[in-house]
Amino acid sequence: MEMENKMNLKERCALRHSITKEFLAEFLGTFVLILFGCGSVAQTVLSRGALGEPLTIHIGFTLGVMMAVYIAGGVSGAHVNPAVSLAMVILGRLKVAKFPVYVLAQFIGAFAGAAAVFGLYYDAFMDYTGGVLSVTGANATANIFASYPAKHLSILNGFIDQVIATGSLVMCILAILDGKNIGAPRGMEPLVIGLIIMAIGVSMGLNCGYPINPARDLGPRLFTAVAGWGKEVFSAGGYWWWIPVAGPMVGGVVGAVVYLLFIELHHAEPEKHQEEENNVKDKYEMITMS
């Protein structure tokens, strides 16, 4: 009886259209990414470093991405990043018509994730700020949700930073998922993709904190704009806000094209690959017999 009830529930509630399933998967995956990632930043900042440090933030985002891929990977591919989705469109692995749906889901998921972090730590925010939510200054908290440039960073250098970091991300993702390359063991892809985030965090985080994801940055920034931090979240840092949006989109395309031109185009076809292996084997046997 219980089994029949479960079957009836599934029949009544299960979605029929794949694009709706993919929308929900991208939404939930991005939500979890922000919940763990920005949550780790909030814990570090609001505890004034007592319960966190840069390494714990790197771990938070690493695990956030890892769990996001486990959640959405089997449904949508777990892009959880418009730059990744654009790269997949360029490579012909995502239909153009699906691209805006994925991006919308990612932005809404990131906005909702930021709202969840704010709700989770609301009392801590009020205690830390005295009720004044500021973008800059000693008690600034807007940087919990979105990236802001370091004092030394120019707009041009920030754009280059985002192109290189996001290009590296996409290039490594493509390598991990490439069935004709070494790849990663089945089911281990989320772990290895998470480790890419760790690598980028510990090597490319100085300038602006490696946003490398337009949804991850702009979604929470929009939340801060309406939640009390105001329009300064867009004007701060010399109107920095557009750099972590445009830079990653360019970087995603660059990373995809580089991997395609340097690696993927040169994979041997299965028959040719087998022939090459046989030739190597024949040469080896000739050497050992001589």
Side-chain angles (χ1 to χ4, degrees):
M1 187 66 177
E2 184 179 350
M3 184 64 69
E4 289 180 3
N5 289 336
K6 287 183 178 178
M7 290 298 293
N8 291 333
L9 180 63
K10 184 174 182 180
E11 289 175 2
R12 289 195 298 267
C13 299
L15 297 170
R16 299 289 186 266
H17 300 291
S18 62
I19 190 62
T20 308
K21 299 175 188 177
E22 292 163 21
F23 178 93
L24 292 177
E26 286 296 311
F27 167 85
L28 189 58
T30 311
F31 174 88
V32 168
L33 162 60
I34 299 302
L35 182 64
F36 290 163
C38 290
S40 67
V41 183
Q43 179 166 289
T44 299
V45 172
L46 299 177
S47 71
R48 301 186 186 276
L51 295 176
E53 58 179 324
L55 182 58
T56 62
I57 294 173
H58 300 329
I59 294 172
F61 276 105
T62 295
L63 295 177
V65 168
M66 189 189 309
M67 293 302 109
V69 178
Y70 273 119
I71 287 170
V75 181
S76 66
H79 298 176
V80 298
N81 184 338
V84 174
S85 295
L86 180 59
M88 295 305 172
V89 170
I90 296 296
L91 295 173
R93 300 178 188 178
L94 179 70
K95 293 179 180 179
V96 176
K98 288 187 175 183
F99 176 70
V101 178
Y102 273 53
V103 172
L104 180 62
Q106 292 156 3
F107 274 103
I108 296 175
F111 186 98
V117 170
F118 185 62
L120 176 68
Y121 283 119
Y122 180 80
D123 287 345
F125 271 103
M126 294 302 104
D127 179 67
Y128 183 90
T129 64
V132 180
L133 302 175
S134 56
V135 178
T136 58
N139 289 330
T141 47
N143 58 346
I144 287 174
F145 298 98
S147 70
Y148 292 87
K151 291 181 180 179
H152 68 267
L153 189 66
S154 67
I155 293 295
L156 176 59
N157 197 178
F159 187 85
I160 293 171
D161 173 287
Q162 286 304 284
V163 170
I164 292 174
T166 312
S168 301
L169 170 67
V170 170
M171 185 173 59
C172 291
I173 289 173
L174 292 174
I176 291 166
L177 301 178
D178 188 351
K180 295 181 180 179
N181 208 327
I182 294 174
R186 183 171 177 78
M188 294 295 289
E189 297 93 342
L191 171 61
V192 185
I193 290 172
L195 291 176
I196 302 172
I197 304 302
M198 176 65 79
I200 292 172
V202 299
S203 62
M204 305 183 200
L206 173 64
N207 286 332
C208 55
Y210 64 102
I212 59 174
N213 181 338
R216 170 264 173 277
D217 197 84
L218 185 56
R221 193 184 300 273
L222 287 169
F223 171 77
T224 56
V226 300
W229 283 265
K231 296 180 181 178
E232 191 182 353
V233 299
F234 294 106
S235 62
Y239 290 89
W240 163 262
W241 72 269
W242 67 274
I243 295 295
V245 176
M249 298 302 279
V250 174
V253 173
V254 170
V257 171
V258 167
Y259 189 80
L260 179 67
L261 294 179
F262 279 68
I263 303 295
E264 194 168 315
L265 283 179
H266 311 295
H267 287 320
E269 295 301 321
E271 293 181 1
K272 292 181 179 178
H273 183 65
Q274 185 63 45
E275 184 179 340
E276 289 175 1
E277 285 186 345
N278 291 337
N279 290 337
V280 171
K281 185 177 179 181
D282 291 342
K283 289 179 181 178
Y284 176 76
E285 288 177 350
M286 290 176 64
I287 292 171
T288 54
M289 290 174 64
S290 59

